[in-house]
Structure formats: C-alpha cells, structure tokens
Amino acid sequence: MIKYGILMMVLLASVSCTEEVKWISTTEDQSWLLEKGLQKKSVQESIDVEIDTDQKLQTIEGFGACFNELGWTSLSSLSASDKDVIFKELFAPEFGANFNICRMPLGANDFSRDWYSYNETEGDFEMTNFSIDNDKETLIPFIKEALNENPELKIWASPWSPPSWMKWNKHYACRIPWESLDEKFNNFLPEDKQGMEGTNMFIQEDAYLKAYALYFSKFIDAYREQGINISMVMPQNEFNSCQIFPSCTWTAAGLANFVGNYLGPAMDEQQVEIMLGTMERPTVALVDTILNDAEAGKYIKGVGFQWAGKEAIPGVHQKYPDMKLYQTEQECGDGKNDWGFCEYSWTLMKHYLNNGVCAYMYWNISLAEGGYSRWGWQQNSLITLDTLANTYQFNHEFYLMKHVSHYVKAGAVLLKTTGEFNDLLAFQNPDKSLVLVIHSEVAKELKIKIGDKMIAPKLKAGSFNTFVIKD
C-alpha cells in the first residue's frame, strides 16, 4: 500500500507539471475552437513578450453592450427556445459572453423604432404625464430577459434627446438628413430649426433644467417599479454631435450647470451615480471644463468615451489617473459584420483598455439583416436575424467580445507587458489565474514568458486566441 501511495503521488505530480494551458482560438472560418496540447515549460530560449504580474494597472468592472429597441424587435421574431439560447449565451455567468454591465437609452435613440420621449406634453414641468409605457413593449422585456440570466447585471442609462419641447427647435433631431438618404428616413426637421455644435439646444432656463432633472428621477423610479435598478446615468449622449436622429448639443458650460445645480442633487437623492459623457470629441478641454466646475465636479464619478473621444482618453487618463473611465459605445461598422471590421474592433479594444478604461461596451446586440436604423444608418451587431426565415447567427465581433469577456472576471486587473510583440492584452483574475488575449496577423510561434515559465503556442494566421493560465 505504501508503494502504491508513493506511485500515485509521483503520477499526480507528473500530471501537475504537465497540466495543459486552456487555449481557445477563432479565425474568420472557424470560431471558438478548443486547442489541445499547450503546456507550460521552463524558459529555455529568447522570448517575444513577457507578462509582468507585478505591474498591475486598472481594475476591470466588466463588459457588455446596449439594449436598443431594434435589438428586441429583431429577437422577437425567434422562437422562445432560440431566444433562451441567445440570452443564456450573452448573459449567463460563467457560460458564454458573460456580460455583466450594459447600457440603455433614456428615451429614444438612433436604434429605436421611432421618436418618443417619456413626456411630450409641452409645459408639463411637474412631469404629470410622464410615462414609460413605450418601454414596456421593448426595452423592459429585453432587460428582464437578461436579468433572468444574470440578476446582478448592472444597467446604466443616457438620453439621446430630452423631450422635444425642452429644446429651442421643438424637435428631437438637430439637423436635416443628407440629400442622398431615402425619403422614408426623413426626420421632417425644417432647415431653419437646425442646431449647431458648440451651442445649447436645450433651453437654459431654470424651469426647464429643473423639470429635466425631475424627468431623470421619474425614469429611475419607474424602472425600479419594474424591478430594474439603474446604477448610473450620463447626462447626454454625444453632447457635441448634431444628428438627424434623436440628439441634443450642449456647451460644456451648459452641461456643467445642469449637472452641478440640477441633475447632481436629484441623482444624489436617488443614490444613483453620474458619469460625464458620452464624450465623442478628441478634446481634453471639454472634460476639464466640466470636471473642474465647482458644482458639477462634486457629482461626477467618472467619464465615458466613444468614437473620436478615444483620442482624448490618453490625456484624460494621464491628467486624472484615479478617475473611473468607460468605453461607452464601440464604433458600429456598416452592417456587413465582416472579419476586417472585427480586426479593427480589436484595435479599439486594445486602445481603450491600454488607456485606462475599466468597462468596455459593444453597441447593437441584435439587428435584422442589413442592420438598418430607423434613420437609415446600417450598423453591425453581435447577432444578425433573418426575420423571414426566423434564423440567427452570432457574428465575428461576438466571438471577439467573448474571447475577453468570458474569461476576464469583474475585479480582474490589466497587466503590463514588455517585449517586441504587443498585439495582446493580459489580465489577472481575482483567483490569480492569468488571461491572455492575443491576435496574430501571421502564422507564428509566439514565445511568452510568465514568471519562471513560458508557453510557446503556434498561432494561426489571422487568429484571435485566449489563454487561461493557472498556477
């Protein structure tokens, strides 16, 4: 028995020393393939990259996407069993994409069925006619399906436009459509009612600003009554962008006044955080104006960036190293959902995470084939629906998101890497496991040093790879 016990200990030690590293790969032609045979070994040769587990960067809150009305209407064409598969794959903890933080619009956005707000009764400063009945048809069931899979899912919200009567042009949009756009996408905005970047479209009067803060509070309360807690708000989506769809430009000073004197106190009472955003311009000064405002700065807990805001984020992160930063909307593509855009999306993810963001959000969860918005913009989505055949497919960018979000847990930290190879992201989870997400343009053996060990996977050309390494 003693000899048998010793033999078992030797065998177990042998298995431990040759434990395989978990490796998942995705190429344009083959998604989410489990690769076999990769093992840790002693460092014996020159390396391409080293993972520095002593140099910990920001803590990761999580990954997700946005609940849009056209996401729900597209999914609604599927059978209940197909929807169950999709929602489990998107939101169930430890299962698929493992999304744990998502965005929603506060009222209509560019991927709503059409324009609406929660109160279009002009002059109703007391919000007597406030109603979320529209959302009970789309956004609320969408979010509840996700919460069924992950009750801990965090939801945050931002408006694209306030009620139209709160804007000087009395319209949800800021500019007329371009001439090439099909008439069915018309917003019927008169030319003399167009707005302009760098101006306040919102009426800067006390009664309107006070009513708008109340509008936010009514939204928080109404959603709580539906069993949905909104953890954070941003005061305006893309406050510099004058769009043909729901939008509202603000000056930085106007937004600071609204946050500091109206929205901030209202959300404090609701115990809901405010982050500044969403920032879509490459200008650190716009952020400075609001963060350094004596009143607004007291309430702002972070900053959200998207689109050209990516160019401002390095400067903001350097200037405010302790500020919480989100990537709030991944650039949206052209509705083709092709591999080339998936690879571009990877460059965005690296840029944002390497410059301090702690949460990264995709945009459209699901769209009907073609990816059209109500206002004529074709965009990508994680899932594409053939609504005639009632079939669906997960697109390339879904698997890219999953390569990160499935394995990188809330509370993980981004790690610094060194070496000539830099097409990767490295994380350490709370359980001390390491997650490496690596892209390779060409077929190559990549030598990766971790502590006193290394791995040397042979990567396929044009591949995304995730490695999970345990002590």
Side-chain angles (χ1 to χ4, degrees):
M1 289 297 293
I2 294 175
K3 289 182 179 179
Y4 176 76
I6 292 172
L7 177 61
M8 286 300 296
M9 289 174 64
V10 171
L11 287 172
L12 287 171
S14 175
V15 169
S16 175
C17 289
T18 59
E19 181 182 356
E20 289 189 9
V21 173
K22 187 164 189 179
W23 175 12
I24 302 290
S25 72
T26 291
T27 62
E28 183 174 8
D29 301 320
Q30 194 167 30
S31 301
W32 210 251
L33 179 67
L34 179 62
E35 305 280 3
K36 294 284 191 178
L38 182 64
Q39 298 174 352
K40 290 186 285 186
K41 60 182 182 179
S42 299
V43 180
Q44 301 167 341
E45 50 198 304
S46 60
I47 60 168
D48 299 301
V49 61
E50 180 174 0
I51 313 303
D52 190 342
T53 56
D54 291 327
Q55 295 238 28
K56 296 176 174 63
L57 304 174
Q58 74 270 24
T59 300
I60 304 300
E61 286 190 19
F63 302 87
C66 187
F67 295 108
N68 289 327
E69 282 203 293
L70 295 188
W72 178 250
T73 58
S74 59
L75 290 171
S76 295
S77 68
L78 297 175
S79 67
S81 60
D82 280 345
K83 281 193 286 186
D84 286 345
V85 169
I86 287 171
F87 277 92
K88 185 174 183 181
E89 182 65 26
L90 289 170
F91 297 105
E94 310 294 332
F95 185 78
N98 196 34
F99 286 165
N100 68 334
I101 179 168
C102 284
R103 180 185 188 182
M104 67 166 293
L106 204 161
N109 68 0
D110 45 325
F111 276 80
S112 295
R113 295 176 295 179
D114 205 342
W115 161 248
Y116 73 97
S117 79
Y118 300 131
N119 188 355
E120 281 299 302
T121 305
E122 183 158 9
D124 184 9
F125 296 105
E126 300 302 318
M127 292 293 139
T128 305
N129 294 306
F130 184 96
S131 172
I132 60 167
D133 283 350
N134 179 87
D135 292 12
K136 292 177 181 177
E137 299 176 7
T138 52
L139 294 175
I140 288 171
F142 199 175
I143 294 168
K144 284 185 173 180
E145 287 279 5
L147 289 171
N148 284 340
E149 295 294 343
N150 181 4
E152 302 302 315
L153 180 69
K154 289 178 65 176
I155 311 292
W156 66 273
S158 63
W160 268 244
S161 174
S164 60
W165 57 272
M166 293 183 172
K167 298 165 67 177
W168 65 261
N169 73 347
K170 308 300 180 184
H171 198 282
Y172 66 80
C174 181
R175 66 182 177 91
I176 62 174
W178 44 92
E179 291 181 2
S180 62
L181 202 60
D182 192 293
E183 178 64 22
K184 67 182 178 181
F185 300 124
N186 202 334
N187 63 18
F188 301 104
L189 175 67
E191 284 194 46
D192 64 348
K193 298 296 184 182
Q194 292 194 111
M196 184 184 302
E197 180 171 345
T199 64
N200 290 307
M201 292 199 73
F202 191 95
I203 298 171
Q204 299 292 301
E205 295 177 12
D206 180 71
Y208 288 87
L209 293 161
K210 189 180 296 182
Y212 197 31
L214 178 60
Y215 181 86
F216 275 76
S217 289
K218 289 275 192 177
F219 163 74
I220 301 296
D221 289 337
Y223 263 73
R224 280 178 181 155
E225 289 174 6
Q226 295 295 317
I228 299 170
N229 290 317
I230 306 300
S231 63
M232 181 269 289
V233 295
M234 297 193 191
Q236 174 64 51
N237 178 72
E238 298 185 350
F239 69 89
N240 302 284
S241 294
C242 188
Q243 306 281 21
I244 69 171
F245 45 79
S247 52
C248 183
T249 59
W250 294 73
T251 64
L255 207 57
N257 177 43
F258 175 55
V259 171
N261 298 302
Y262 301 92
L263 184 63
M267 292 300 97
D268 240 17
E269 192 171 314
Q270 292 282 1
Q271 296 184 312
V272 171
E273 285 191 349
I274 298 175
M275 288 180 65
L276 171 60
T278 57
M279 269 295 305
E280 84 293 27
R281 290 290 180 263
T283 313
V284 175
L286 287 171
V287 177
D288 284 338
T289 299
I290 301 170
L291 291 185
N292 293 321
D293 181 88
E295 297 303 319
K298 295 187 297 189
Y299 297 105
I300 294 171
K301 307 302 182 186
V303 188
F305 298 86
Q306 58 195 50
W307 291 86
K310 65 179 180 284
E311 303 303 330
I313 198 170
V316 173
H317 184 45
Q318 184 177 22
K319 194 166 186 178
Y320 305 95
D322 297 324
M323 181 68 68
K324 179 165 67 174
L325 306 177
Y326 278 12
Q327 185 283 127
T328 45
E329 178 186 314
Q330 184 182 284
E331 294 174 32
C332 59
D334 55 8
K336 295 178 182 176
N337 295 293
D338 59 25
W339 183 254
F341 197 83
C342 180
E343 291 188 304
Y344 172 68
S345 297
W346 165 246
T347 69
L348 294 175
M349 192 179 292
K350 284 192 303 177
H351 174 81
Y352 279 104
L353 287 163
N354 284 328
N355 284 288
V357 304
C358 62
Y360 188 95
M361 269 142 281
Y362 194 78
W363 177 224
N364 282 299
I365 291 174
S366 171
L367 290 175
E369 199 165 3
Y372 280 96
S373 79
R374 151 68 178 82
W375 288 273
W377 193 354
Q378 287 182 274
Q379 298 188 1
N380 289 359
S381 54
L382 297 175
I383 302 162
T384 294
L385 276 293
D386 182 334
T387 53
L388 295 178
N390 293 334
T391 58
Y392 68 92
Q393 68 177 32
F394 287 99
N395 295 321
H396 295 309
E397 288 171 276
F398 167 78
Y399 290 103
L400 171 58
M401 289 292 294
K402 186 177 174 181
H403 265 281
V404 185
S405 63
H406 178 78
Y407 293 109
V408 179
K409 310 304 181 189
V413 291
L414 186 70
L415 297 175
K416 187 173 179 59
T417 66
T418 56
E420 291 186 5
F421 184 86
N422 62 6
D423 204 2
L424 81 162
L425 292 166
F427 306 86
Q428 186 174 58
N429 278 322
D431 67 0
K432 303 304 180 185
S433 62
L434 300 183
V435 179
L436 313 182
V437 185
I438 297 174
H439 172 252
S440 184
E441 292 184 358
V442 298
K444 67 174 297 180
E445 182 180 50
L446 185 68
K447 302 178 185 70
I448 307 165
K449 183 176 183 243
I450 307 130
D452 61 352
K453 300 291 183 182
M454 70 177 289
I455 57 174
K458 294 181 179 178
L459 305 177
K460 299 169 189 173
S463 65
F464 293 104
N465 306 269
T466 297
F467 303 91
V468 183
I469 305 162
K470 298 183 179 180
D471 290 335

Coordinates of all heavy atoms in Angstrom, one line a residue, residues 298-340:
K298 N -18.3 67.9 -8.1 CA -18.7 67.2 -6.9 C -19.4 65.9 -7.1 O -19.4 65.0 -6.3 CB -19.5 68.1 -5.9 CG -18.7 69.3 -5.4 CD -19.5 70.1 -4.4 CE -20.8 70.6 -4.9 NZ -21.5 71.5 -3.9
Y299 N -20.1 65.9 -8.2 CA -21.1 64.8 -8.5 C -20.5 63.8 -9.5 O -21.1 62.7 -9.6 CB -22.4 65.3 -9.0 CG -23.1 66.2 -8.0 CD1 -23.1 67.6 -8.2 CD2 -23.7 65.7 -6.9 CE1 -23.8 68.4 -7.3 CE2 -24.4 66.4 -6.0 CZ -24.4 67.8 -6.2 OH -25.1 68.6 -5.3
I300 N -19.5 64.1 -10.3 CA -19.1 63.3 -11.4 C -18.1 62.2 -10.9 O -17.0 62.6 -10.3 CB -18.5 64.1 -12.5 CG1 -19.6 65.0 -13.1 CG2 -17.9 63.2 -13.6 CD1 -19.1 66.0 -14.1
K301 N -18.4 61.0 -11.1 CA -17.6 59.9 -10.6 C -16.8 59.2 -11.7 O -16.0 58.3 -11.4 CB -18.6 58.8 -10.0 CG -19.5 59.3 -9.0 CD -18.8 59.9 -7.8 CE -19.9 60.4 -6.7 NZ -19.2 61.1 -5.6
G302 N -16.9 59.7 -12.9 CA -16.1 59.1 -14.0 C -16.4 59.7 -15.3 O -17.2 60.7 -15.4
V303 N -15.8 59.2 -16.4 CA -16.0 59.8 -17.7 C -16.2 58.6 -18.7 O -15.4 57.7 -18.6 CB -14.8 60.7 -18.1 CG1 -15.2 61.4 -19.4 CG2 -14.5 61.7 -17.1
G304 N -17.1 58.8 -19.6 CA -17.3 57.8 -20.7 C -17.0 58.3 -22.0 O -17.3 59.5 -22.3
F305 N -16.3 57.5 -22.8 CA -15.8 57.9 -24.1 C -16.3 57.0 -25.2 O -16.4 55.8 -25.0 CB -14.2 57.9 -24.1 CG -13.6 58.8 -23.2 CD1 -13.4 58.4 -21.8 CD2 -13.2 60.1 -23.5 CE1 -12.8 59.3 -20.9 CE2 -12.6 60.9 -22.6 CZ -12.4 60.5 -21.3
Q306 N -16.5 57.5 -26.4 CA -16.8 56.7 -27.6 C -16.3 57.5 -28.9 O -16.0 58.7 -28.8 CB -18.3 56.4 -27.7 CG -19.2 57.6 -27.7 CD -20.6 57.2 -27.4 OE1 -20.9 56.5 -26.4 NE2 -21.6 57.6 -28.2
W307 N -16.2 56.8 -30.0 CA -15.9 57.3 -31.2 C -14.6 58.2 -31.1 O -13.6 57.7 -30.6 CB -17.0 58.1 -31.9 CG -18.1 57.1 -32.3 CD1 -19.1 56.6 -31.5 CD2 -18.3 56.5 -33.6 NE1 -19.9 55.8 -32.3 CE2 -19.4 55.7 -33.5 CE3 -17.5 56.6 -34.8 CZ2 -19.8 54.9 -34.6 CZ3 -18.0 55.9 -35.9 CH2 -19.1 55.0 -35.8
A308 N -14.6 59.5 -31.6 CA -13.4 60.3 -31.6 C -12.9 60.6 -30.2 O -11.8 61.1 -30.0 CB -13.6 61.5 -32.4
G309 N -13.8 60.4 -29.2 CA -13.4 60.5 -27.8 C -12.2 59.7 -27.4 O -11.5 60.0 -26.5
K310 N -11.9 58.7 -28.2 CA -10.8 57.8 -28.0 C -9.5 58.6 -28.0 O -8.5 58.2 -27.4 CB -10.7 56.6 -29.0 CG -10.5 56.9 -30.4 CD -10.5 55.7 -31.3 CE -10.3 56.0 -32.7 NZ -11.5 56.5 -33.4
E311 N -9.4 59.6 -28.8 CA -8.2 60.4 -28.9 C -8.0 61.3 -27.7 O -6.9 61.8 -27.4 CB -8.2 61.3 -30.2 CG -8.4 60.5 -31.5 CD -7.4 59.5 -31.7 OE1 -6.3 59.6 -31.2 OE2 -7.7 58.4 -32.3
A312 N -9.0 61.6 -26.9 CA -8.9 62.4 -25.7 C -8.6 61.5 -24.5 O -8.0 62.0 -23.5 CB -10.2 63.2 -25.4
I313 N -8.9 60.2 -24.6 CA -8.8 59.4 -23.4 C -7.4 59.3 -22.8 O -7.2 59.3 -21.6 CB -9.4 58.0 -23.6 CG1 -9.7 57.4 -22.2 CG2 -8.7 57.1 -24.5 CD1 -10.6 56.1 -22.3
P314 N -6.3 59.2 -23.7 CA -5.0 59.2 -23.1 C -4.6 60.4 -22.2 O -4.1 60.3 -21.1 CB -4.0 59.1 -24.3 CG -4.9 58.5 -25.4 CD -6.2 59.1 -25.1
G315 N -5.0 61.6 -22.7 CA -4.8 62.8 -22.0 C -5.6 62.9 -20.7 O -5.1 63.3 -19.6
V316 N -6.8 62.5 -20.7 CA -7.7 62.5 -19.5 C -7.1 61.5 -18.5 O -7.1 61.8 -17.3 CB -9.1 62.2 -19.9 CG1 -10.0 62.0 -18.7 CG2 -9.7 63.3 -20.8
H317 N -6.7 60.3 -19.0 CA -6.2 59.3 -18.0 C -4.9 59.8 -17.4 O -4.7 59.6 -16.2 CB -6.0 58.0 -18.8 CG -5.5 56.9 -17.9 ND1 -6.1 56.6 -16.7 CD2 -4.5 55.9 -18.0 CE1 -5.5 55.5 -16.1 NE2 -4.6 55.1 -16.9
Q318 N -4.1 60.5 -18.1 CA -2.8 61.0 -17.6 C -3.1 62.1 -16.6 O -2.5 62.2 -15.5 CB -1.9 61.5 -18.7 CG -0.6 62.0 -18.2 CD 0.3 62.4 -19.4 OE1 -0.1 62.7 -20.5 NE2 1.6 62.4 -19.1
K319 N -4.1 62.9 -16.9 CA -4.4 64.1 -16.0 C -5.2 63.7 -14.8 O -5.0 64.3 -13.7 CB -5.1 65.1 -16.9 CG -5.2 66.5 -16.2 CD -5.6 67.6 -17.2 CE -5.6 69.0 -16.6 NZ -5.9 70.0 -17.6
Y320 N -6.0 62.7 -14.9 CA -6.9 62.3 -13.8 C -6.7 60.7 -13.6 O -7.6 59.9 -13.9 CB -8.3 62.6 -14.1 CG -8.6 64.0 -14.4 CD1 -8.7 64.5 -15.8 CD2 -8.9 64.9 -13.4 CE1 -9.0 65.8 -16.1 CE2 -9.1 66.3 -13.7 CZ -9.2 66.7 -15.1 OH -9.5 68.0 -15.4
P321 N -5.5 60.3 -13.2 CA -5.2 58.9 -13.1 C -6.1 58.1 -12.2 O -6.2 56.8 -12.4 CB -3.8 58.9 -12.6 CG -3.6 60.2 -11.9 CD -4.4 61.2 -12.6
D322 N -6.8 58.7 -11.3 CA -7.7 57.9 -10.4 C -9.2 58.0 -10.9 O -10.0 57.4 -10.2 CB -7.6 58.5 -9.0 CG -6.2 58.3 -8.4 OD1 -5.6 57.3 -8.7 OD2 -5.7 59.2 -7.7
M323 N -9.4 58.6 -12.0 CA -10.8 58.8 -12.4 C -11.3 57.5 -13.1 O -10.6 56.9 -14.0 CB -10.9 59.9 -13.4 CG -12.3 60.2 -14.0 SD -13.4 60.9 -12.8 CE -12.8 62.5 -12.4
K324 N -12.5 57.0 -12.8 CA -13.1 55.9 -13.5 C -13.4 56.2 -14.9 O -14.0 57.2 -15.2 CB -14.3 55.4 -12.7 CG -15.0 54.2 -13.3 CD -16.0 53.6 -12.4 CE -17.2 54.5 -12.1 NZ -18.2 53.7 -11.3
L325 N -13.0 55.4 -15.9 CA -13.2 55.6 -17.3 C -13.9 54.4 -17.9 O -13.6 53.3 -17.7 CB -11.9 55.9 -18.0 CG -10.9 56.9 -17.4 CD1 -9.6 57.0 -18.2 CD2 -11.6 58.3 -17.4
Y326 N -14.9 54.7 -18.8 CA -15.7 53.7 -19.5 C -15.5 53.9 -21.0 O -15.4 55.1 -21.5 CB -17.2 53.8 -19.2 CG -17.7 53.1 -18.0 CD1 -16.8 52.7 -17.0 CD2 -19.1 53.0 -17.8 CE1 -17.3 52.1 -15.8 CE2 -19.6 52.4 -16.7 CZ -18.7 51.9 -15.7 OH -19.2 51.4 -14.6
Q327 N -15.4 52.9 -21.8 CA -15.7 52.9 -23.2 C -17.2 52.6 -23.3 O -17.6 51.6 -23.0 CB -14.8 51.9 -23.9 CG -14.9 52.0 -25.5 CD -16.2 51.4 -26.0 OE1 -17.0 52.0 -26.7 NE2 -16.5 50.1 -25.6
T328 N -17.9 53.6 -23.9 CA -19.4 53.5 -23.8 C -20.1 53.0 -25.0 O -21.3 52.7 -25.0 CB -19.9 54.9 -23.4 OG1 -19.2 55.9 -24.3 CG2 -19.6 55.2 -22.0
E329 N -19.4 53.0 -26.2 CA -20.1 52.6 -27.4 C -19.0 52.2 -28.4 O -18.4 53.1 -29.0 CB -21.0 53.6 -27.9 CG -21.8 53.3 -29.2 CD -22.6 54.5 -29.8 OE1 -23.3 55.1 -29.0 OE2 -22.5 54.8 -31.0
Q330 N -18.9 51.0 -28.7 CA -17.9 50.6 -29.8 C -18.4 51.1 -31.1 O -19.5 51.1 -31.4 CB -17.7 49.1 -29.8 CG -16.6 48.7 -30.8 CD -16.4 47.3 -31.0 OE1 -15.8 46.7 -30.1 NE2 -16.8 46.7 -32.1
E331 N -17.4 51.6 -31.9 CA -17.8 52.0 -33.3 C -18.5 50.9 -34.0 O -18.3 49.7 -33.8 CB -16.5 52.4 -34.0 CG -15.9 53.7 -33.4 CD -14.5 54.1 -34.0 OE1 -14.3 53.8 -35.2 OE2 -13.7 54.6 -33.2
C332 N -19.4 51.3 -34.9 CA -20.5 50.4 -35.3 C -20.4 49.7 -36.6 O -21.3 48.9 -37.0 CB -21.8 51.2 -35.2 SG -21.8 52.6 -36.4
G333 N -19.4 50.0 -37.4 CA -19.3 49.3 -38.7 C -20.4 49.7 -39.7 O -21.1 50.8 -39.6
D334 N -20.6 48.9 -40.7 CA -21.5 49.3 -41.8 C -22.6 48.3 -42.1 O -23.2 48.3 -43.2 CB -20.7 49.5 -43.1 CG -19.8 48.2 -43.4 OD1 -20.0 47.2 -42.8 OD2 -19.0 48.3 -44.4
G335 N -22.9 47.4 -41.2 CA -23.9 46.4 -41.3 C -23.4 45.1 -42.0 O -24.2 44.1 -42.1
K336 N -22.2 45.1 -42.5 CA -21.7 43.9 -43.1 C -21.1 42.8 -42.2 O -21.0 41.6 -42.5 CB -20.6 44.3 -44.2 CG -21.1 45.1 -45.3 CD -20.0 45.5 -46.2 CE -20.6 46.4 -47.3 NZ -19.5 47.0 -48.2
N337 N -20.8 43.2 -41.0 CA -20.3 42.3 -39.9 C -19.1 41.5 -40.4 O -19.1 40.3 -40.2 CB -21.4 41.4 -39.4 CG -22.5 42.2 -38.7 OD1 -22.3 42.7 -37.7 ND2 -23.7 42.3 -39.4
D338 N -18.2 42.1 -41.2 CA -17.1 41.3 -41.8 C -15.9 41.1 -40.9 O -15.8 41.8 -39.8 CB -16.7 41.8 -43.2 CG -16.3 43.3 -43.1 OD1 -15.8 43.7 -42.0 OD2 -16.4 44.0 -44.1
W339 N -15.0 40.3 -41.3 CA -13.8 40.0 -40.5 C -12.9 41.2 -40.3 O -12.3 41.4 -39.3 CB -13.1 38.8 -41.1 CG -11.9 38.3 -40.3 CD1 -10.6 38.5 -40.6 CD2 -11.9 37.6 -39.0 NE1 -9.8 38.0 -39.6 CE2 -10.6 37.4 -38.6 CE3 -12.9 37.1 -38.2 CZ2 -10.2 36.7 -37.4 CZ3 -12.6 36.5 -37.0 CH2 -11.3 36.3 -36.7
G340 N -12.8 41.9 -41.4 CA -11.9 43.1 -41.3 C -12.3 44.1 -40.3 O -11.5 44.6 -39.6

